[in-house]
Amino acid sequence: MTAAALAGLLAGYGIAIPVGAVGAYLVAVTARTGWRTGAAAALGVATADGAYALLAVAGGSALVPYLTPVMTPLRWVSAVVLVALAVRAAWTAVRAHRAGALASRDDGARPLTPARAYAAFLGITALNPMTVVYFVALILATGPDAPATPADRTAFVVAALAASASWQLLLATGGTLLGRTLTGPRGRLTTTLASSTLIVVLAVRLVG
């Protein structure tokens, strides 16, 4: 079980550490809304990673034929959602800056609560089929050493979930520090526009 847990930790960090569009958006959201909301968003990402790790150990290679026909549409949906979020964040920042203050809201009507942040980031991350393909490929590559017993599978999934959560929370902490450091309206506007641009670029790469 120890070996399975170690494998899960490595797998979780392997998929979480490369900061893509979702990671950039997580930092931006935390900088605008604070630690509680950012931490909830981080846990939403980690929950999706953990769910995909569970699917991988439960289904293994049987999942690949079912995912292959829908991977391209899912990538497009993910890219469109991320671009829409980036555009909305940029527009909100510009509008608030012109009004004299950067609002700590994700839209003009409803505040981004921790619960909404969790659900939103869970959904965004779940749209990426490459995560489950990554876990399936990793498990298949280990051959006979892949988690086989219920205890080993549980250890693998829990460790992968913990690894993803720890990294996403680190990103959220970075967003909190960024928000505290760049407290001026101009600084917050600049970082929001920069992060929105980065999210768009990374989203385009999903379908490029």
Side-chain angles (χ1 to χ4, degrees), residues 106-134:
D106 72 326
D107 53 42
R110 300 173 62 192
L112 185 63
T113 63
R116 286 186 63 207
Y118 176 86
F121 276 82
L122 173 61
I124 292 171
T125 308
L127 287 173
N128 184 10
M130 292 308 297
T131 304
V132 69
V133 172
Y134 164 83

Side-chain angles (χ1 to χ4, degrees), residues 89-201:
W91 171 247
T92 300
V94 170
R95 185 175 58 184
H97 182 72
R98 289 176 177 174
L102 184 65
S104 61
R105 301 162 68 95
D106 72 326
D107 53 42
R110 300 173 62 192
L112 185 63
T113 63
R116 286 186 63 207
Y118 176 86
F121 276 82
L122 173 61
I124 292 171
T125 308
L127 287 173
N128 184 10
M130 292 308 297
T131 304
V132 69
V133 172
Y134 164 83
F135 280 118
V136 169
L138 187 66
I139 289 172
L140 293 178
T142 58
D145 296 326
T149 68
D152 283 347
R153 291 178 177 179
T154 300
F156 179 89
V157 172
V158 171
L161 174 63
S164 178
S166 65
W167 181 257
Q168 304 305 332
L169 288 171
L170 180 62
L171 290 181
T173 300
T176 302
L177 295 176
L178 180 65
R180 290 177 179 175
T181 301
L182 302 177
T183 55
R186 186 180 298 275
R188 287 196 153 192
L189 174 64
T190 300
T191 55
T192 300
L193 293 179
S195 67
S196 295
T197 301
L198 176 60
I199 291 168
V200 170
V201 171

